[in-house]
Amino acid sequence: MSDIQPPPRPPYSPGSAQPRLNRPVQERYPQIRPTSGYGDPRVRHTGPGPGAGTEQEPERSSKLNARLVLALTVVIGQLWALTVTVNEWMKGNTATAWWGAGFLLLSFLVVIALWLLDPKDR
């Protein structure tokens, strides 16, 4: 493998080779004034306001989190029951497999009931 070196960089000097870019900031951007920002009368609100980024409805948030935890618990139980049910079906234990299928149906109905519990939260 050959050791190829990139060409040397030109020496750094502040400013630009294009004279139009070397003008003072006030000439390049006439719309920026010393009072732009905090002193600009057009600025009415300087940020998102007090309380931004915090939970506005903590009761609703906790209710949704609790329902989410319940739904995820049921889904994990469904995955476990599906594994057990398929294993029992493959072994030929159809009675146990039917009980597992019933459990899966019941847990699915629980998730639907959780979803229907409060329609305004969707």
Side-chain angles (χ1 to χ4, degrees):
M1 195 183 249
S2 65
D3 193 43
I4 299 174
Q5 297 292 327
R9 293 183 178 197
Y12 173 77
S13 62
S16 174
Q18 301 176 23
R20 67 181 181 83
L21 296 177
N22 289 329
R23 295 176 297 160
V25 173
Q26 291 80 14
E27 291 178 22
R28 284 185 285 161
Y29 303 103
Q31 71 273 22
I32 297 178
R33 295 184 296 279
T35 59
S36 289
Y38 71 93
D40 194 337
R42 296 173 295 176
V43 177
R44 299 252 192 281
H45 304 288
T46 59
T54 60
E55 183 56 57
Q56 301 297 321
E57 297 180 64
E59 293 85 10
R60 180 175 179 265
S61 175
S62 63
K63 182 172 59 172
L64 291 176
N65 285 337
R67 285 173 48 197
L68 180 65
V69 167
L70 284 172
L72 288 175
T73 303
V74 170
V75 167
I76 290 170
Q78 284 179 326
L79 290 173
W80 171 80
L82 183 63
T83 303
V84 170
T85 302
V86 169
N87 285 340
E88 291 299 317
W89 183 268
M90 294 302 225
K91 289 179 190 174
N93 299 335
T94 55
T96 307
W98 282 113
W99 279 108
F103 175 79
L104 287 169
L105 180 64
L106 180 66
S107 61
F108 178 73
L109 292 175
V110 167
V111 171
I112 294 297
L114 287 172
W115 184 67
L116 291 173
L117 198 60
D118 201 359
K120 70 180 176 87
D121 277 338
R122 282 185 242 137

